[in-house]
Amino acid sequence: MSLLDWKGHRLLALPARLYLGAVFLLACWHKLVDPQAFAIDVATYQILPLSLVNLTALCLPPIELAAGLMLVSGVRSRAGALLAAGMMVVFLAALSLAMAKGLELSCGCFASTGAAEDPISYKTLLRDGAWLVLAIYVVIFDRRPLGLESLLRRPSPA
């Protein structure tokens, strides 16, 4: 039996999926509530042309919300994890570019949670990298998720 075949992955994928879903739900909240502030955060990275800043600020939070809900509920959890992984790749690229430019700014991810935002740093890259690894883990090992989808698929007693 290889490590990939270990049956414990299904159980480990559950807390990974729930944690990752909670991260995305928390991250999208302030962006949905205050899209103007989030648009300023996006513009501060100086990566996108100004014509795409508002579009990004309006489109990204519902995608984060959808990914978070899929992960937490267990409905299409692997698709939610794939969305999360894709967003983490983009976030890591944006952080890396901003750091390479020497920009001193906050991540802008959790502005409404009351947590003081630290300036972006290698710690931010490590954190987001860990979330990317979690998302990939869920994509690979969450084959039969424990959640609403598994309840909906169960055959009803005759």
Side-chain angles (χ1 to χ4, degrees):
M1 178 174 88
S2 76
L3 187 59
L4 292 176
D5 295 328
W6 182 56
K7 298 214 185 286
H9 286 303
R10 181 174 179 218
L11 293 177
L12 289 177
L14 176 64
R17 176 170 56 84
L18 294 174
Y19 171 75
L20 195 60
V23 165
F24 273 87
L25 291 175
L26 283 172
C28 79
W29 181 250
H30 85 91
K31 299 168 188 169
L32 289 168
V33 171
D34 193 357
Q36 257 184 319
F38 180 53
I40 292 169
D41 289 340
V42 171
T44 305
Y45 277 84
Q46 301 175 12
I47 296 171
L48 294 175
L50 288 177
S51 60
L52 293 178
V53 168
N54 286 337
L55 180 64
T56 301
L58 291 173
C59 292
L60 183 60
I63 296 169
E64 287 180 325
L65 177 64
L69 289 173
M70 287 189 277
L71 289 164
V72 168
S73 71
V75 174
R76 309 282 298 157
S77 59
R78 290 181 64 218
L82 193 57
L83 271 175
M87 286 185 280
M88 293 316 305
V89 168
V90 172
F91 299 159
L92 284 164
L95 287 168
S96 298
L97 287 169
M99 288 176 61
K101 290 180 181 180
L103 298 177
E104 292 185 24
L105 53 105
S106 293
C107 171
C109 300
F110 303 100
S112 69
T113 62
E117 291 256 9
D118 293 326
I120 58 171
S121 67
Y122 291 103
K123 287 184 351 185
T124 316
L125 287 174
L126 287 174
R127 179 199 68 192
D128 285 10
W131 289 338
L132 173 59
V133 169
L134 273 180
I136 293 169
Y137 186 85
V138 172
V139 168
I140 294 170
F141 293 110
D142 200 29
R143 295 292 179 186
R144 284 182 266 148
L146 301 171
L148 291 176
E149 191 168 313
S150 64
L151 293 174
L152 296 173
R153 276 189 277 158
R154 290 192 184 168
S156 59

